[in-house]
Amino acid sequence: MKFELRTYVAAEGKMAALQQRFIDHTIHIFPRHGMHSVGYWVREDDPSVLVYLIWHEGDPKANWNSFKDDPEWTSARAASEVDGSLTASLESVYLDPVEALAIGDLPPKA
């Protein structure tokens, strides 16, 4: 299993549209391509930054290539970007889990 941390800087005024595209389309398309959402966050110090964590079945690069060619994704992306790109930049970092550290010890939600 490979984790991926992705950071998007939304184009000016496009954060709501970017989030809505994830809600309406992206998160539902990911599993067909071996990608599974863990969580999504907006940076507290910069609300134009969306950070999310996914995990991959198999090869992440092959998963992304498959996702990018998905007809539902290409249609959703085109429709959401009629007035311009929703993102100004993207950073992707692949992460390997540390097996000796338990994830189950997270604090309860406030």
Side-chain angles (χ1 to χ4, degrees), residues 2 5 17 19 32 38 45 64 68 87:
K2 183 73 73 175
L5 183 68
Q19 290 180 18
R32 290 199 302 255
V38 175
D45 66 330
W64 279 114
K68 289 175 186 175
T87 58

Side-chain angles (χ1 to χ4, degrees), residues 2 6 8 27 30-31 35 37 40 46 54 61 69 74 80-82 84 86 88-89 91 93-94 99:
K2 183 73 73 175
R6 294 176 67 90
Y8 291 178
I27 62 172
F30 275 172
M35 299 185 290
S37 299
Y40 294 78
D46 187 348
I54 59 175
K61 290 181 182 165
D69 291 336
T74 56
S80 69
E81 295 186 345
V82 170
L86 301 185
S89 67
E91 178 184 9
V93 177
Y94 291 103
E99 299 297 332

Side-chain angles (χ1 to χ4, degrees), residues 14-52:
K14 304 282 186 164
M15 178 57 90
L18 178 61
Q19 290 180 18
Q20 198 62 51
R21 184 171 70 189
F22 272 96
I23 292 165
D24 293 343
H25 304 286
T26 310
I27 62 172
H28 305 290
I29 300 169
F30 275 172
R32 290 199 302 255
H33 304 284
M35 299 185 290
H36 305 276
S37 299
V38 175
Y40 294 78
W41 302 268
V42 173
R43 276 188 31 189
E44 192 172 292
D45 66 330
D46 187 348
S48 71
V49 178
L50 175 70
V51 178
Y52 68 97

